[in-house]
RNA sequence: GGAGAGGUGGCAGAGUGGUCGAAUGUACCUGACUCGAAAUCAGGCGUAGGUGCGAGCCUACCGUGGGUUCGAAUCCCACCCUCUCCGCCA
């Protein structure tokens, strides 16, 4: 019998020992995320598990010992029927135990798999985004001496077509044509080059369709299936379920899944430009106008795989890498620390970068950088051999650097001119064939 | 899609249904030798879980899931994946 089944082979996100031994402390920390942990329910399951597992193992030990005896007796040519009768008596209870245990373990695992990561101790406690704390600002929002337009109005004559997208695919899809399509491509290229040439990341091109295990590893499954698009292979409608990636974090982070890395391989810094697919199931009528919230958008993602002692430092660096893009693009932004109630499932600490959008007269999220500590590594079984030669879980971090669609929006709105043209920031011009401004084709 | 081969420890690679959790090599750790290192020699060295103050004892794990058996890495069934060749295809 196997205690580790397919579904629980990936350990729950929280250390199961922590749950067993310090459940009250875990409950208190999760409470800051607005989550009520069913301590009594968990402990009832645990008590049951402990009794059943102990009994199962007792019976197995007995069976193994007797079977070994049978082997020895038969080897010597002696009669083993008495021992075989004895082991036969164990059969029924053992079978019952072995059948009951996996289901119980599965329930415990499912319970634990749906618990989010524990916030770091100094993360501000808050219920929602109102509890987030601003860390710093960069740049001054521009004063306009003409009536400013939003990116939808600015983009329309430049090739930003929402009606075409809707006709092809439905709402929340955009079709880009001409100068705006080129600007979109230039932004992604510029970001990739900056991260690879200046920040030490290795460029990657990754699959956009992944299996369930990968999404479990980074924490999107089992809890957030409704946020994803899932796909089936043609001619194989009964077949394996796979998913479109909601971010390249999935593929970059899972690239070390089930690996035991050596110390000298760390840190690993990866970046990729990819489309991201999100069903936006829970977003209701939010941001229906424009390309702020799309089912498909491009993003340049940064991922770091580091030693546990170095992840805090790595997060600060990674935020700096994302900020560098905004600075080069001359886009005002602010950095905020997400409070406990606003953090994502896998994160122990998250900084959001919010770019100034003049037409909305506010800062909007354009990057999110998180330290997931060992949470994802535990689910992925991504480890390294530490200095003591022991396998230890790595720490994983991910951050957008940046969301390309929203960056496009920010460039349009912040660098718009009175005549509706867009001034291209100097850093981006080499990627635009030297063009200094884009304007509607005649 | 067709035909074949194969999935075993960090890696490589053995394994007649019965002390096989698994030979061997390599990597790694410790010790000896050395001024130091290399080489050499000796020892150690998988993961997870249970139980115990502890040395330890026990259970599970040889791609995944099921089956046969007193007993499965080994036999049977299904599935997944990888590789080679053919076909199709951007």
């Amino acid at each position: 019998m196997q205690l580790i089944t397919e579904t629980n082979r990936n350990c729950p996100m929280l250390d199961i020992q922590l749950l067993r031994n310090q459940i009250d402390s875990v409950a208190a920390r999760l409470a800051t995320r607005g989550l009520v942990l069913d301590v009594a329910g968990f402990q009832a399951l645990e008590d049951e598990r402990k009794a059943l597992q102990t009994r199962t193992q007792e019976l197995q030990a007995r069976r193994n010992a007797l079977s070994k005896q049978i082997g020895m007796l038969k080897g010597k040519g002696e009669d083993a029927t008495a021992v075989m009768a004895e082991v036969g008596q164990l059969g029924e209870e053992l079978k019952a135990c072995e059948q009951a245990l996996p289901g119980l373990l599965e329930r415990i695992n499912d319970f634990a798999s749906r618990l989010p990561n524990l916030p770091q101790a100094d993360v501000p406690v808050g219920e929602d985004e109102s509890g987030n704390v601003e860390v710093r600002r960069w740049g001054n929002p521009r004063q306009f001496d003409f009536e400013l337009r939003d990116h939808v109005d600015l983009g329309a004559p430049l090739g930003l077509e929402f009606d075409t997208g809707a006709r092809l695919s439905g709402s929340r899809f955009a079709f880009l044509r001409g100068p705006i399509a080129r600007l979109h491509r230039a932004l992604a290229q510029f970001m990739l080059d900056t991260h690879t040439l200046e920040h030490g990341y290795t460029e990657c091109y990754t699959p956009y369709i992944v299996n369930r295990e990968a999404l479990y590893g980074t924490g999107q499954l089992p809890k957030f299936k409704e946020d994803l698009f899932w796909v089936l292979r043609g001619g194989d409608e009964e077949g394996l379920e796979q998913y479109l990636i909601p971010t390249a974090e999935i593929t970059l982070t899972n690239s070390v899944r089930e690996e035991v890395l050596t110390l000298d391989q760390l840190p690993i810094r990866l970046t990729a430009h990819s489309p991201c697919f999100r069903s936006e199931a829970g977003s209701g009528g939010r941001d229906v106008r424009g390309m702020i919230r799309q089912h498909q958008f491009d993003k340049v993602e940064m991922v770091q795989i580091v030693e546990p002692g170095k992840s805090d430092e790595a997060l600060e660096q990674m935020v700096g890498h994302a900020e560098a893009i905004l600075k080069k693009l001359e886009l005002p932004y602010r950095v905020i620390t997400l409070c406990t109630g606003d953090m994502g499932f896998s994160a122990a600490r998250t900084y959001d970068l919010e770019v100034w959008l003049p037409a909305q007269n506010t800062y909007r999220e354009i990057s999110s950088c998180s330290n997931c500590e060992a949470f994802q590594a535990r689910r992925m079984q991504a480890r390294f051999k530490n200095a003591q030669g022991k396998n230890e879980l790595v720490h994983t971090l991910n951050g957008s650097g940046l969301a390309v669609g929203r960056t496009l929006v920010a460039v349009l709105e912040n660098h718009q001119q009175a005549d509706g043209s867009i001034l291209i920031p100097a850093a981006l011009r080499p990627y635009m064939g030297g063009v200094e401004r884009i304007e509607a084709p005649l």
Side-chain angles (χ1 to χ4, degrees):
Chain A
M1 200 223 52
Q2 178 173 339
L3 300 182
I4 299 170
T5 66
E6 216 223 312
T7 35
N8 76 10
R9 169 165 43 97
N10 310 297
C11 306
M13 62 193 191
L14 296 180
D15 188 346
I16 192 71
Q17 299 298 355
L18 205 60
L19 271 177
R20 286 173 184 165
N21 302 329
Q22 300 178 43
I23 186 142
D24 290 327
S25 145
V26 170
R29 293 174 71 183
L30 288 179
T32 67
R33 301 189 60 139
L35 194 141
V36 180
L37 187 63
D38 180 5
V39 175
F42 178 76
Q43 278 179 335
L45 277 177
E46 261 295 287
D47 290 345
E48 199 182 335
R49 186 216 104 236
K50 202 172 260 191
L52 186 57
Q53 184 166 344
T54 306
R55 182 60 183 155
T56 305
Q57 294 187 350
E58 255 175 47
L59 293 168
Q60 287 172 329
R62 185 81 188 128
R63 178 202 62 196
N64 290 348
L66 292 174
S67 289
K68 204 164 273 185
Q69 268 188 40
I70 293 169
M72 292 195 304
L73 288 172
K74 289 200 167 178
K76 286 188 258 179
E78 294 175 21
D79 176 44
T81 50
V83 186
M84 285 176 74
E86 191 180 348
V87 80
Q89 291 174 346
L90 303 175
E92 206 168 307
E93 188 184 355
L94 181 56
K95 200 169 181 181
C97 286
E98 287 183 345
Q99 278 174 354
L101 192 51
L104 190 57
L105 291 175
E106 172 59 27
R107 281 168 67 196
I108 291 173
N109 182 61
D110 188 63
F111 176 85
S113 294
R114 291 164 187 275
L115 300 179
N117 202 357
L118 300 176
Q120 289 183 350
D122 60 341
V123 169
V125 175
E127 284 183 20
D128 52 38
E129 65 272 13
S130 66
N132 295 343
V133 175
E134 184 173 314
V135 178
R136 59 181 168 271
R137 288 185 186 211
W138 182 92
N140 296 312
R142 187 174 145 206
Q143 300 301 312
F144 290 88
D145 53 10
F146 55 88
E147 193 171 339
L148 60 81
R149 285 175 257 191
D150 79 355
H151 71 277
V152 178
D153 292 340
L154 288 164
L158 298 172
L160 181 53
E161 302 176 6
F162 292 102
D163 51 350
T164 312
R167 185 149 32 95
L168 298 174
S169 309
S171 67
R172 296 199 191 282
F173 286 94
F175 190 106
L176 278 55
R177 193 194 301 262
I180 207 94
R182 183 181 201 184
L183 177 57
H184 186 260
R185 170 166 61 92
L187 284 167
Q189 305 278 1
F190 159 71
M191 293 174 193
L192 270 182
D193 278 354
T194 304
H195 295 315
T196 54
L197 300 176
E198 297 177 25
H199 300 151
Y201 290 77
T202 301
E203 181 172 353
C204 300
Y205 171 83
T206 80
Y208 301 150
I209 297 176
V210 296
N211 57 33
R212 196 185 313 122
E213 286 73 21
L215 289 156
Y216 184 94
T218 33
Q220 285 76 19
L221 290 179
K223 207 175 175 182
F224 304 101
K225 183 173 175 178
E226 67 280 6
D227 294 336
L228 302 167
F229 283 99
W230 59 92
V231 295
L232 297 172
R233 294 191 196 184
D236 190 16
E237 277 69 22
E238 304 286 308
L240 200 64
E241 184 170 279
Q242 297 189 301
Y243 301 83
L244 298 177
I245 56 170
T247 158
E249 168 198 344
I250 312 292
T251 47
L252 294 178
T253 306
N254 276 284
S255 66
V256 296
R257 161 187 204 82
E258 287 169 41
E259 290 218 49
V260 180
L261 302 159
T262 56
L263 207 44
D264 60 4
Q265 288 177 276
L266 303 177
I268 295 173
R269 292 197 183 94
L270 305 173
T271 185
H273 165 217
S274 84
C276 304
F277 302 93
R278 300 186 182 179
S279 76
E280 296 297 341
S283 66
R286 261 187 297 158
D287 302 313
V288 284
R289 179 178 166 86
M291 63 186 302
I292 292 292
R293 193 174 301 276
Q294 298 275 289
H295 287 309
Q296 172 185 322
F297 63 95
D298 277 25
K299 183 158 56 67
V300 172
E301 182 75 0
M302 302 176 284
V303 158
Q304 292 202 31
I305 314 293
V306 304
E307 299 170 53
K310 300 191 174 165
S311 61
D312 288 338
E313 183 192 354
L315 179 62
E316 302 300 324
Q317 286 173 359
M318 184 180 271
V319 172
H321 297 155
E323 289 182 69
I325 302 292
L326 288 164
K327 288 176 180 169
K328 284 169 185 266
L329 294 176
E330 302 163 42
L331 298 170
Y333 67 87
R334 63 176 187 173
V335 181
I336 60 173
T337 301
L338 295 193
C339 71
T340 50
D342 202 30
M343 285 200 302
F345 185 73
S346 300
R349 179 181 198 87
T350 298
Y351 291 109
D352 270 11
L353 267 55
E354 297 182 337
V355 70
W356 177 254
L357 291 188
Q360 295 192 8
N361 196 38
T362 188
Y363 288 94
R364 292 298 305 260
E365 178 187 343
I366 196 166
S367 171
S368 188
C369 300
S370 298
N371 180 1
C372 300
E373 297 186 336
F375 183 85
Q376 295 179 325
R378 184 171 297 108
R379 296 168 78 104
M380 296 191 298
Q381 283 301 294
R383 296 157 296 173
F384 74 105
K385 279 240 186 283
N386 66 19
Q388 287 73 45
K390 284 288 170 198
N391 291 346
E392 191 176 344
L393 296 169
V394 296
H395 278 194
T396 63
L397 303 98
N398 63 79
S400 3
L402 311 160
V404 178
R406 289 188 180 181
T407 308
L408 180 75
V409 169
V411 167
L412 293 180
E413 294 197 0
N414 281 282
H415 298 314
Q416 63 179 294
Q417 305 300 306
D419 62 359
S421 68
I422 311 295
L423 210 56
I424 302 298
L428 205 54
R429 288 179 196 162
Y431 296 87
M432 292 292 288
V435 166
E436 290 180 16
R437 81 167 61 213
I438 57 173
E439 50 203 332
L442 293 178

